[in-house]
Amino acid sequence: MTSKVPPIPRRVAQLLRLLCLSGIALSSSLAADAPRPDFAPNPGVGWVVISRTFLPPPSGPGPVMEDPAHRGGTNDDFRNSGAQPTFPIADLSNPILQPWVREKLKAHNDRVLAGKPAFPARASCWPTGVPAFLLFPIMPIFIIHGPKEVVMVWQADNQQIRRIYLTDKHSGNVRPSWYGDSIGRYEGDTLVVDTVGIDTRTVVDDFETPHTDKLHVVERWRLRDGGMVLEVNFRVEDPGAFTTPWNAIQRYRRMEPGVAENTDPFSAILSSTRAGPMLEAICAENSGAHFVNDVQPIPQAGKPDF
């Protein structure tokens, strides 16, 4: 003899069904509203690069580094210790370099070793491209989170702007531009940025490493050290310029009034390097000629490139 299970009262069944549906909706909502990284919790938060060159990955192919036989010094070194600043000299032994790229770097090295200037293009207000945007020195970058895009701006030149569109597909008609076509998505605590279509007039780094129109960069931005450091792990692919894909790292330190002030001695001289909301500055509005005649002129646009 089997006992019959009594039917569930209608009101109880409706309640269970409602709870079940609510649970599904709640789990979906939680998935959709998973915590995203916030690189700008208030307008006073900026980020200053920690390294003037890309950092190598723990293992595997890495970026062009300084020639160990010609260790140089940066303006930061001069301000901190009085060491003579020099232009960087690339290590030509890096196996990632295609022959024509190695020749370009050798020409850059020869210029420096001959005592001639080798100012980066940004010294003449030229856009730097990606990943060289990660090397903007001294002054902070500011990051603006929007529902459809993430905007990154360098304080020293507000025209150096990256726009990262929060979508899963590149434009169907990508045309070369200074900072390329960047799309982004959030993966937990990380902003993943995929960039293609970068103008070949830009370079990869301050060694003036060139690239082709096949350059493809994927960056992973995430906070670490309790939100005081912003780390970018990125991968570079360009079969026309490099023998293999390679990886590198850049890190930024936080600047925020009352939380993380700029300790660089330069901040005592130049107020624009101190922590605080972003200041307005346009590089091309500075018409002074501080360099020699063979430095690239300030760029001029005859028509919009968009």
Side-chain angles (χ1 to χ4, degrees):
M1 182 177 179
T2 60
S3 60
K4 186 178 293 186
V5 177
I8 299 176
R10 178 177 296 180
R11 288 182 60 85
V12 175
Q14 290 175 340
L15 180 60
L16 289 173
R17 182 172 183 273
L18 180 61
L19 289 172
C20 181
L21 291 176
S22 297
I24 294 172
L26 179 61
S27 63
S28 299
S29 175
L30 288 174
D33 298 332
R36 293 179 174 181
D38 188 355
F39 307 141
N42 67 72
V45 176
W47 300 95
V48 179
V49 293
I50 293 176
S51 174
R52 288 294 192 93
T53 57
F54 295 137
L55 304 172
S59 62
V64 175
M65 302 293 288
E66 190 176 43
D67 185 347
H70 297 91
R71 293 293 185 187
T74 67
N75 289 334
D76 294 336
D77 297 326
F78 172 75
R79 287 189 290 270
N80 291 326
S81 66
Q84 175 64 46
T86 59
F87 295 107
I89 296 178
D91 181 1
L92 303 181
S93 68
N94 193 320
I96 68 169
L97 303 174
Q98 293 282 13
W100 74 272
V101 175
R102 183 174 284 106
E103 287 302 312
K104 288 280 189 179
L105 288 176
K106 183 178 184 303
H108 174 272
N109 288 357
D110 291 344
R111 180 183 180 87
V112 174
L113 292 172
K116 296 180 180 180
F119 292 102
R122 66 170 175 269
S124 296
C125 309
W126 286 81
T128 63
V130 179
F133 180 90
L134 303 175
L135 292 171
F136 276 137
I138 303 175
M139 296 191 196
I141 64 167
F142 286 83
I143 302 174
I144 305 163
H145 291 273
K148 295 184 178 180
E149 65 177 342
V150 176
V151 179
M152 300 181 178
V153 187
W154 185 39
Q155 178 171 273
D157 185 2
N158 300 164
Q159 295 189 110
Q160 304 288 2
I161 301 176
R162 291 187 66 186
R163 297 185 181 276
I164 300 158
Y165 297 97
L166 299 176
T167 182
D168 60 354
K169 190 176 299 183
H170 283 287
S171 167
N173 182 29
V174 175
R175 293 186 297 175
S177 59
W178 292 111
Y179 286 109
D181 186 75
S182 293
I183 61 174
R185 68 182 186 277
Y186 292 103
E187 292 184 357
D189 64 352
T190 301
L191 172 64
V192 181
V193 182
D194 187 296
T195 304
V196 297
I198 305 167
D199 196 302
T200 55
R201 287 175 291 179
T202 66
V203 293
V204 172
D205 51 37
D206 283 355
F207 300 108
E208 296 188 4
T209 304
H211 63 85
T212 73
D213 59 359
K214 304 299 182 185
L215 179 62
H216 179 198
V217 183
V218 177
E219 305 154 85
R220 302 182 66 86
W221 296 68
R222 64 183 293 270
L223 294 168
R224 48 172 286 184
D225 297 352
M228 301 304 292
V229 172
L230 178 57
E231 183 174 87
V232 188
N233 287 268
F234 63 95
R235 182 174 180 83
V236 174
E237 297 181 9
D238 184 349
F242 306 113
T243 59
T244 183
W246 51 272
N247 297 285
I249 302 168
Q250 179 58 294
R251 297 189 181 103
Y252 294 82
R253 56 184 172 84
R254 185 173 183 144
M255 279 179 54
E256 181 181 0
V259 176
E261 300 288 346
N262 190 356
T263 57
D264 190 304
F266 197 44
S267 66
I269 304 171
L270 189 63
S271 61
S272 57
T273 64
R274 298 170 193 165
M278 187 176 72
L279 303 177
E280 181 179 353
I282 304 296
C283 176
E285 291 180 351
N286 181 359
S287 57
H290 303 290
F291 309 121
V292 293
N293 294 330
D294 57 351
V295 173
Q296 296 184 73
I298 292 176
Q300 297 181 356
K303 61 180 180 178
D305 62 352
F306 53 86

